[in-house]
């Protein structure tokens, strides 16, 4: 946190939990789109994205090309920042706090400590409390989500399996997280100790989930969303916003697909609107079966 | 019971609804023109104003809402909501539309990026204790028209304004537990 005294004498504090979680609150109901250059960023903003994620290659290309995937070139991130007025996020490798420091100094609005990049640390995630910039982290289950929140994450996204265009893993992870939350709200106080042990998560956070029936931070969905119907599905399951990676710019008509996913995310429970926006979109991205993957990104994270 | 429409195209609409319902008002999530029937007032939440503007147009909400606001429906806009109500947006997108119902000029992201977002206490006209305000990628009100009353400032900048039945903040009273500004809004609707 950084404290400053304004000319009027009132003190203003930056980098607080409220300010960091607050931006996640503002992104709810929206679509965050992966973009690899300023042209794509403009298309995303034109289509109604509430934020963009700047990265060098979309996940399906990372999967295809192999090799080590790292933080993007600062110059490319700066070009994207200059191209749009909506928030710009960027990815750092798991545990790579130096990349996160660079992203903070660049002035990105959110850092994604992401399993889509090659992990830099096989034991530790970044101590996110040490930063003024907020972090989003992926999770496949409630324990993982609460461990990331304990480390200072201000937004959780269910991981799904990025770059596959296959929604099955996103659904699995959402159901896993939200199902356990529902069970915990029914648990008695003695059972909460056992839940904390099983989830390998701090007891106070487990107790908070029990009391509030929700995660302490917003929960969005990522990994495999390729159509407006996919977005509607995960929103109905309980996601509060969606990240779309390869699904937009690997489709036949990115601008049309992007607009359709934005409208479907807002009107996720209105089938008439979903019919309208799903019609005539051209080809969605080609998808992959999970069983045939060489690397599952979702297994990265501890 | 008052029925408050909360624009729910994108952003922090759930937090507003929770606060209003806690104060005993009924709320409706407004996503399509049919949701406008029977509402007494409108809340426009924080979020991305460019996203909201596009969705308001594509859903057909924009024109009927603009008409209701022009004919005097009470409204409360926070952050992006203040931008949507303003007569003029500096630094907006050329295709961005707003309701032009509150005589102010706003500059989007006036304080800078997320890293410059902050919390601070503000003195509010009519409230005894200061209000702890959270500013997130907040806009700056660069001009207020002659009919606009400034109810709070941070430094030189107006951060809470009212003109007739329309009020707006550049901060987020829906985050946190202090419901005094929502109370003020509901009282004001009762009086109109």
């Amino acid at each position: 946190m950084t404290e400053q005294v304004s000319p009027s004498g009132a003190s203003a504090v930056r980098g607080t939990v409220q300010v960091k979680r607050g931006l996640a609150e503002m992104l709810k109901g929206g679509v965050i789109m992966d973009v690899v250059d300023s042209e794509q960023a403009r298309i995303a903003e034109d289509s109604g994205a509430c934020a963009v994620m700047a990265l060098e290659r979309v996940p399906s290309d990372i999967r295809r090309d192999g090799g080590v995937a790292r933080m993007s070139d600062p110059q490319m991130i700066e070009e994207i920042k200059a191209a749009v007025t909506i928030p710009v996020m960027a990815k750092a490798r798991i545990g790579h706090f130096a990349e996160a420091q660079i992203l903070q100094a660049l002035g990105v609005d959110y850092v994604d400590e992401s399993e889509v990049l090659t992990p830099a640390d096989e034991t530790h995630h970044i101590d996110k409390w040490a930063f003024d910039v907020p972090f989003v982290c992926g999770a496949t289950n409630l324990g993982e989500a609460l461990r990331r929140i304990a480390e200072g994450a201000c937004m959780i996204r269910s991981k799904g399996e990025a770059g596959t265009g296959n929604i099955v893993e996103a659904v699995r992870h959402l159901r896993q997280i939200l199902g356990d939350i529902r069970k915990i709200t029914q648990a008695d106080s003695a059972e909460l100790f056992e839940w904390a042990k099983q989830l390998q998560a701090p007891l106070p956070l487990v107790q908070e989930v029990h009391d509030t029936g929700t995660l302490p931070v917003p929960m969005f969905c990522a990994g495999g969303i390729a159509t407006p119907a996919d977005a509607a599905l995960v929103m109905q399951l309980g996601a509060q916003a969606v990240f779309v990676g390869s699904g937009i710019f690997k489709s036949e008509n990115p601008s049309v697909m992007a607009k359709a996913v934005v409208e479907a995310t807002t009107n996720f429970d209105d089938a008439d609107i979903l019919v309208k926006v799903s019609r005539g979109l051209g080809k969605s991205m080609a998808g992959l079966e999970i069983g045939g993957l060489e690397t599952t990104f979702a297994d990265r994270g501890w | 019971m008052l029925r408050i429409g909360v624009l729910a195209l994108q952003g922090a609409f759930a937090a507003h609804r929770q606060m209003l319902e806690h104060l005993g008002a009924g709320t409706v999530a407004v996503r399509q023109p049919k949701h406008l029937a029977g509402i007494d007032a409108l809340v426009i939440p924080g979020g991305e104003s460019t996203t909201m503007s596009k969705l308001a147009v594509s859903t057909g909400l924009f024109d009927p809402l603009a008409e209701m606001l022009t004919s005097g429906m009470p409204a409360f806009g926070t952050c992006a909501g203040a931008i949507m109500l303003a007569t003029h947006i500096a630094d907006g997108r050329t295709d961005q539309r707003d309701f032009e119902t509150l005589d102010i000029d706003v500059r989007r992201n006036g304080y800078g990026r997320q890293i410059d977002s902050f919390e601070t206490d503000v003195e509010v006209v009519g409230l005894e204790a200061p209000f702890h305000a959270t500013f997130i990628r907040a806009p700056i009100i660069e001009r207020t028209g002659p009919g606009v009353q400034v109810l709070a400032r941070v430094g030189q900048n107006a951060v809470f304004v009212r003109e007739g039945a329309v009020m707006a903040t550049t901060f987020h009273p829906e985050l946190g537990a202090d419901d005094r500004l929502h109370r003020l809004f509901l009282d004001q609707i009762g009086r109109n």
Side-chain angles (χ1 to χ4, degrees):
Chain A
M1 287 192 294
T2 314
E3 185 147 358
Q4 284 192 331
V5 178
S6 73
S8 67
S11 78
V13 199
R14 298 186 298 171
T16 61
V17 169
Q18 170 100 329
V19 158
K20 294 198 277 189
R21 290 184 183 175
L23 180 55
E25 290 290 329
M26 298 311 137
L27 298 172
K28 281 184 176 176
V31 182
I32 300 146
M33 299 182 193
D34 279 3
V35 297
V36 301
D37 56 34
S38 50
E39 178 55 28
Q40 289 190 354
R42 270 185 221 107
I43 292 172
E45 188 179 53
D46 285 345
S47 310
C50 67
V52 291
M53 174 77 69
L55 74 178
E56 234 146 50
R57 292 175 288 170
V58 294
S60 63
D61 287 341
I62 293 176
R63 199 174 276 291
R64 189 196 59 208
D65 300 348
V68 173
R70 311 180 178 91
M71 176 189 80
S72 298
D73 186 328
Q75 187 181 327
M76 169 268 203
I77 295 171
E78 276 166 345
E79 283 166 12
I80 288 174
K81 273 174 54 197
V84 294
T85 61
I86 54 180
V88 176
M89 305 187 179
K91 290 181 192 291
R93 283 178 267 180
I94 290 174
H96 206 314
F97 50 84
E99 284 187 348
Q101 289 161 0
I102 293 167
L103 293 175
Q104 173 166 277
L106 269 173
V108 306
D109 297 297
Y110 241 91
V111 174
D112 184 1
E113 187 182 18
S114 178
E115 70 282 0
V116 170
L117 305 184
T118 310
D121 189 323
E122 293 189 324
T123 312
H124 309 94
H125 283 252
I126 297 170
D127 170 10
K128 293 164 274 288
W129 296 111
F131 290 78
D132 281 350
V133 67
F135 280 74
V136 50
C137 288
T140 59
N141 58 54
L142 182 58
E144 205 176 352
L146 294 179
R147 288 196 293 281
R148 297 297 84 81
I149 294 167
E151 294 156 3
C154 291
M155 179 202 302
I156 293 295
R157 54 176 174 74
S158 56
K159 281 181 182 170
E161 193 54 44
T164 60
N166 189 337
I167 199 66
V168 67
E169 294 301 298
V171 169
R172 187 196 317 282
H173 300 153
L174 269 178
R175 282 200 180 277
Q176 185 74 47
I177 295 168
L178 295 167
D180 274 355
I181 290 176
R182 282 189 284 269
K183 285 181 207 153
I184 285 176
T185 57
Q186 303 298 314
D188 72 18
S189 56
E191 288 167 339
L192 293 181
F193 296 98
E194 176 58 19
W195 268 107
K197 225 185 311 172
Q198 267 185 31
L199 293 173
Q200 300 178 49
L203 180 64
L205 287 179
V206 174
Q207 287 166 330
E208 189 176 339
V209 168
H210 170 266
D211 294 346
T212 61
T214 173
L215 282 184
V217 305
M219 191 180 71
F220 296 179
C221 176
I225 295 166
T227 66
D230 288 347
L233 173 68
V234 299
M235 291 294 287
Q236 287 188 45
L237 282 171
Q240 294 170 315
V242 299
F243 286 82
V244 186
S246 324
I248 304 272
F249 289 101
K250 290 292 174 185
S251 71
E252 188 181 347
N253 195 340
S255 167
V256 174
M257 179 62 82
K259 285 193 187 93
V261 173
V262 168
E263 295 207 19
T265 302
T266 293
N267 297 292
F268 63 88
D269 55 359
D270 186 321
D272 291 335
I273 292 195
L274 296 175
V275 169
K276 199 182 85 185
V277 304
S278 299
R279 201 177 274 144
L281 297 178
K283 266 201 205 121
S284 307
M285 72 177 283
L288 296 171
E289 280 284 355
I290 305 299
L293 301 179
E294 271 178 38
T295 310
T296 47
F297 294 150
D299 294 338
R300 297 164 164 176
W302 2 97
Chain B
M1 186 166 70
L2 284 173
R3 201 170 146 88
I4 314 293
V6 179
L7 194 65
L9 296 170
Q10 192 272 319
F13 48 86
H16 274 291
R17 291 186 72 187
Q18 204 177 345
M19 200 163 255
L20 291 164
E21 282 170 14
H22 181 70
L23 291 171
T27 70
V28 191
V30 175
R31 295 194 166 96
Q32 295 167 40
K34 65 181 180 194
H35 301 141
L36 294 172
I39 62 170
D40 300 301
L42 180 77
V43 168
I44 309 182
E48 275 308 310
S49 58
T50 54
T51 304
M52 285 188 219
S53 156
K54 278 173 196 309
L55 284 163
V57 173
S58 68
T59 54
L61 257 179
F62 192 91
D63 291 331
L65 250 184
E67 209 178 298
M68 289 167 85
L69 289 165
T70 308
S71 54
M73 178 173 64
F76 183 16
T78 61
C79 195
I83 297 171
M84 295 286 287
L85 292 170
T87 44
H88 179 72
I89 307 172
D91 259 13
R93 291 172 48 96
T94 47
D95 60 348
Q96 187 164 359
R97 292 188 67 186
D98 55 331
F99 295 116
E100 301 182 19
T101 182
L102 180 59
D103 189 13
I104 57 172
D105 293 355
V106 291
R107 180 169 296 279
R108 293 178 60 215
N109 306 328
Y111 296 92
R113 304 196 70 91
Q114 168 63 13
I115 202 86
D116 306 301
S117 295
F118 62 98
E119 294 178 36
T120 192
D121 283 336
V122 296
E123 300 285 345
V124 177
V125 174
L127 293 187
E128 277 182 18
F131 192 93
H132 191 72
T134 305
F135 294 78
I136 296 171
R137 286 172 51 95
I140 282 183
I141 298 175
E142 296 191 320
R143 182 194 65 85
T144 54
V148 176
Q149 188 187 3
V150 177
L151 297 172
R153 287 181 195 276
V154 168
Q156 299 300 305
N157 300 313
V159 296
F160 179 20
V161 295
R162 180 164 62 197
E163 182 179 27
V166 177
M167 56 190 245
T169 60
T170 59
F171 56 90
H172 292 283
E174 74 278 17
L175 300 180
D178 193 340
D179 56 17
R180 287 178 293 166
L181 298 199
H182 286 78
R183 244 176 237 277
L184 213 69
F185 180 56
L186 293 176
D187 288 350
Q188 171 190 300
I189 303 168
R191 276 202 304 274
N192 276 312

